[in-house]
Amino acid sequence: MKKRIVVKVGTHVITDGGKLCAERFEKLIEFLSLVMEKNDVILVSSGAVATGFSKIKLDKKILPNKQALAAIGQPYLIQYYNEFLQKYGKFGAQILLISDDFDSRKRTKAAKDAINTLLENNILPIINENDTTAIEELVFGDNDQLSAHVTHFLDADLLVILSDINGYYDSDPKENKNAKLILHVEKIDNDVMYQDVNTGSEFSTGGIATKLKAADFLLKNGRSMFLASGFDLSDAKNFILEGRHSGGTLFALKS
Ligand code: ADP
């Protein structure tokens, strides 16, 4: 039986110096096409605002500007994905969702039907939040929560978050050199989940807190999440393609 895997990439992973980075896309798409050979893959990609900003320098702190940047960047982002997917004889499809879509059974079903049809045809659904109407997303939100919802409501087996960090540590590794990677997490404590506000870059919205919230949501719904580096994909490859846990953090109940 094919597994269904949702992969989420953060802005940092696909951009360099504020621009979409060909070298990173090359590696990411190679990885995704390998995963797609044996699994149904759904991609959740950030990066629209950063891409928009590489085209026109609007002040991102002003909400309508940020929304405009997302609208400018999103088509370039999809175009870029398609250029790289083409090398593997594949292409992607854009799906824009807001959290409200998951509150409505009708809209969730519509999204589900469309995504299932794409997967049946071996097309990569590329999901992003619809920033123009998702006001809260731009102020507080992040694609970590969106990808957790997609994983749950689309009945996926696993959410893989590819980040600028290679897993979850016992403290922020950028602040503490002795921080230790935690390979397996079964439960997220509330005080840990709400402590952190640091995000990795000016375009990141999440930080580790939103990843923990995503993991908590999935654990409570009987699903799993794997957090690994999006720069060096070897841990993600080992885990997904070979079932070998060489690094990265698995959030799952031990079976
Ligand atoms: P992305 O852009 O991939 O969504 P972020 O940059 O927003 O990711 O969040 C990851 C960052 O969270 C890391 O680079 C790291 O500096 C920070 N962080 C804070 N605490 C931790 C921790 N305990 N374990 C791992 N990363 C942490």
Side-chain angles (χ1 to χ4, degrees), residues 38-75:
K38 291 199 177 136
N39 307 278
D40 282 338
V41 178
I42 299 167
L43 181 67
V44 176
S45 177
S46 304
V49 175
T51 307
F53 193 72
S54 72
K55 303 287 170 196
I56 175 173
K57 305 284 180 248
L58 299 179
D59 181 354
K60 297 187 291 288
K61 288 194 274 318
I62 299 166
L63 183 60
N65 284 353
K66 208 167 178 182
Q67 291 169 312
L69 288 170
I72 295 161
Q74 181 68 20

Side-chain angles (χ1 to χ4, degrees), residues 97-111:
L97 298 172
I98 54 172
S99 57
D100 263 13
D101 293 330
F102 297 103
D103 285 342
S104 149
R105 239 183 252 176
K106 256 194 207 165
R107 286 209 296 271
T108 308
K109 186 179 178 305

